[in-house]
Amino acid sequence: MKEVFQIIRDPRFQLLYGVRQRFSVGPEPRRVRLNREGCTLVEGVVKKSMVYPYMLLATHPSPVRGNVFAPIFGVVTEINERSIFLDAAEPGEDVRALAAGVEKQDLLSAPQRGAELAMLLKTLGVNTRSLGQDCEKLIINGLNPDPGVTWAEPMLLTHQETLRAGLEMLRRLSPAREIVLAAPKELRLRLNDVQVVHVAAHYPASIDALVVKAVTGEENPADVGIVGLHNVWSLGRVVRTGYPLVETVLTIGSRDHSGNYIVREGSLLGDLLHFAHIDLKPGDTLVRGGPLRGESLDRLDRSVTRGTTGVFVVEAGTIPPMKGHSPCINCGACVLVCPARLSPGMLSRNAEFALHPRNREEHIDSCLECGLCGYVCIARRPVLQYIRLSKNKLRKTLREPFAATQGDA
Ligand code: SF4
Ligand code: SF4
């Protein structure tokens, strides 16, 4: 493990940034695109119907997946299998009256605990899968997830009331006997509500499995769960507002600008960049998520989902572009940085030639998806993308054994 920290000296991998200010409020969206995959539309939610903030639009059948709510006054302009599109529109008196009638929830007085509370939170738009993990010890990952993402520090320092409310809910939700917060060791944090364990703040130390190892001293210990700080903040946000979750916190950044914003769910990436005064020029790469692990997109009309940690523009020439068909030269650089002690070159070659079952034997499931292999690859191979492709193929093989075996042959 030490090798990784010795080799990756790039200061951009530091995960503490000295950011202290509260988050700015993001733009008032003119259009939103909400993810509705797997959800059932509520009766009456059809094209051209009017919507208002916190109006329930769709429900998810899973007890741990949050329902979908409108974040703005607007009109439904399009619905497809994956998305609901809303355009902002001035409401009439009748719609304003409906919005005024949305009931505020007093969650701190609610008697529910455990699965019952999770069900209530789901009806308020919260994803609770990681919050109610069956474990003895639950770790809150308080590090910035990726280099360039900077919201964890101000969240820990200046949003403590929201985090306290989130912690209170987490204690009612989780069966864990002990909840601890993993925070950067350089951060002077005063938070009496939870035991704080200080860990290194140098990427990839923020990856969940490495945080667990840093806190417990063990790899994959039994009865230990981990949850992101972002989830705790979201819980606290719902408690403090009393309304469904329709916002998220993310970093919007480029080489010259970076800021943390509370933005409405479904906000379009193009609108966010415009709001942050960031131009996307020809040759630049638009990334949703962290710059190292996020997905590059070619359309500004894609949107922010609940789990989005950031939106970044990587300027042309900053990092040499990936080349999909560049052959692996077997230099071994990726092996040296892999914190999971895998052979990323081999995994990527197997994926490239559709030899996915071999990757199972190469323990592809141990890949932490940190992205370091692709970062150091001098052949500029999209190593992480190959690995994700192979993981997806293998997952599908498990679900559809007959069809997938044919495809892999
Ligand atoms: S993405 Fe996976 S294979 Fe690549 S360095 Fe990280 S853990 Fe290793
Ligand atoms: S760093 Fe790139 S070229 Fe070198 S072994 Fe890994 S995948 Fe192959």
Side-chain angles (χ1 to χ4, degrees):
M1 195 73 63
K2 277 183 189 158
E3 258 178 344
V4 179
F5 297 103
Q6 283 161 4
I7 292 164
I8 305 296
R9 293 283 182 209
D10 190 328
R12 286 175 296 180
F13 282 47
Q14 176 57 246
L15 298 172
L16 257 186
Y17 302 96
V19 179
R20 299 286 189 271
Q21 80 274 20
R22 286 175 178 272
F23 311 136
S24 307
V25 175
E28 191 64 36
R30 292 169 297 142
R31 187 160 215 230
V32 296
R33 176 183 184 155
L34 299 164
N35 180 9
R36 62 148 297 207
E37 273 177 283
C39 294
T40 305
L41 290 176
V42 168
E43 205 181 326
V45 176
V46 292
K47 211 166 161 183
K48 296 190 180 170
S49 55
M50 293 296 294
V51 300
Y52 51 86
Y54 309 122
M55 174 180 165
L56 178 64
L57 301 181
T59 58
H60 199 285
S62 164
V64 292
R65 287 280 305 274
N67 294 339
V68 181
F69 294 83
I72 56 170
F73 280 111
V75 59
V76 179
T77 53
E78 193 183 331
I79 299 175
N80 60 37
E81 282 299 305
R82 301 185 63 188
S83 308
I84 303 171
F85 294 82
L86 310 176
D87 275 5
E90 196 57 36
E93 285 305 313
D94 51 342
V95 178
R96 278 195 193 282
L98 289 170
V102 176
E103 205 177 322
K104 191 170 174 170
Q105 301 272 340
D106 181 2
L107 283 171
L108 287 177
S109 303
Q112 291 93 334
R113 302 183 81 87
E116 260 188 272
L117 178 57
M119 206 59 196
L120 174 60
L121 288 163
K122 167 216 167 46
T123 65
L124 291 168
V126 181
N127 291 332
T128 58
R129 185 184 299 280
S130 62
L131 302 171
Q133 291 168 67
D134 188 10
C135 57
E136 287 281 311
K137 181 179 192 135
L138 184 63
I139 300 167
I140 300 168
N141 184 348
L143 275 73
N144 281 308
D146 262 53
V149 175
T150 59
W151 45 252
E153 226 171 324
M155 202 177 262
L156 286 169
L157 294 171
T158 64
H159 287 247
Q160 293 193 351
E161 284 307 309
T162 303
L163 291 181
R164 266 188 201 107
L167 264 168
E168 174 61 31
M169 279 297 113
L170 191 57
R171 289 198 171 98
R172 298 184 193 186
L173 268 173
S174 170
R177 289 184 191 195
E178 189 187 6
I179 296 181
V180 301
L181 169 70
K185 61 182 173 196
E186 297 86 353
L187 191 67
R188 290 173 179 271
L189 182 63
R190 288 181 194 194
L191 193 60
N192 298 327
D193 313 70
V194 64
Q195 184 198 341
V196 178
V197 179
H198 292 281
V199 299
H202 206 262
Y203 195 75
S206 56
I207 302 275
D208 280 350
L210 301 181
V211 171
V212 169
K213 169 112 194 293
V215 171
T216 64
E218 293 176 56
E219 280 183 21
N220 302 319
D223 290 330
V224 177
I226 186 156
V227 59
L229 184 67
H230 202 284
N231 296 69
V232 181
W233 184 90
S234 298
L235 264 183
R237 182 80 178 172
V238 173
V239 172
R240 294 194 75 202
T241 63
Y243 292 112
L245 186 65
V246 293
E247 295 147 324
T248 189
V249 171
L250 47 72
T251 303
I252 305 176
S254 66
R255 185 176 45 204
D256 304 322
H257 170 84
S258 179
N260 293 309
Y261 300 86
I262 298 181
V263 305
R264 235 65 73 79
E265 189 183 344
S267 296
L268 302 186
L269 305 189
D271 290 348
L272 295 180
L273 292 182
H274 178 74
F275 184 77
H277 306 291
I278 295 175
D279 292 328
L280 186 71
K281 300 190 183 67
D284 292 351
T285 305
L286 173 65
V287 180
R288 180 170 62 185
L292 209 64
R293 292 188 291 165
E295 51 175 340
S296 53
L297 301 172
D298 55 4
R299 290 176 53 174
L300 287 165
D301 65 352
R302 301 293 293 277
S303 64
V304 164
T305 59
R306 273 170 216 165
T308 305
T309 55
V311 177
F312 291 87
V313 168
V314 180
E315 286 80 1
T318 315
I319 298 174
M322 297 282 178
K323 295 178 191 162
H325 299 294
S326 175
C328 172
I329 56 171
N330 216 4
C331 66
C334 54
V335 179
L336 290 175
V337 296
C338 177
R341 301 185 291 275
L342 296 169
S343 175
M346 169 79 78
L347 295 173
S348 71
R349 288 197 298 273
N350 286 341
E352 188 177 7
F353 297 107
L355 302 171
H356 305 296
R358 282 196 196 171
N359 274 344
R360 192 177 284 130
E361 289 155 31
E362 295 289 335
H363 306 289
I364 194 170
D365 282 341
S366 302
C367 168
L368 308 170
E369 300 195 16
C370 68
L372 289 178
C373 45
Y375 181 80
V376 299
C377 176
I378 54 172
R380 304 308 300 140
R381 286 167 60 75
V383 188
L384 176 57
Q385 287 74 7
Y386 274 132
I387 289 172
R388 282 179 174 158
L389 170 80
S390 207
K391 280 185 170 183
N392 273 334
K393 292 279 181 192
L394 288 168
R395 263 196 291 271
K396 279 189 187 153
T397 310
L398 282 179
R399 261 187 257 134
E400 308 157 26
F402 180 67
T405 306
Q406 281 189 323
D408 285 343

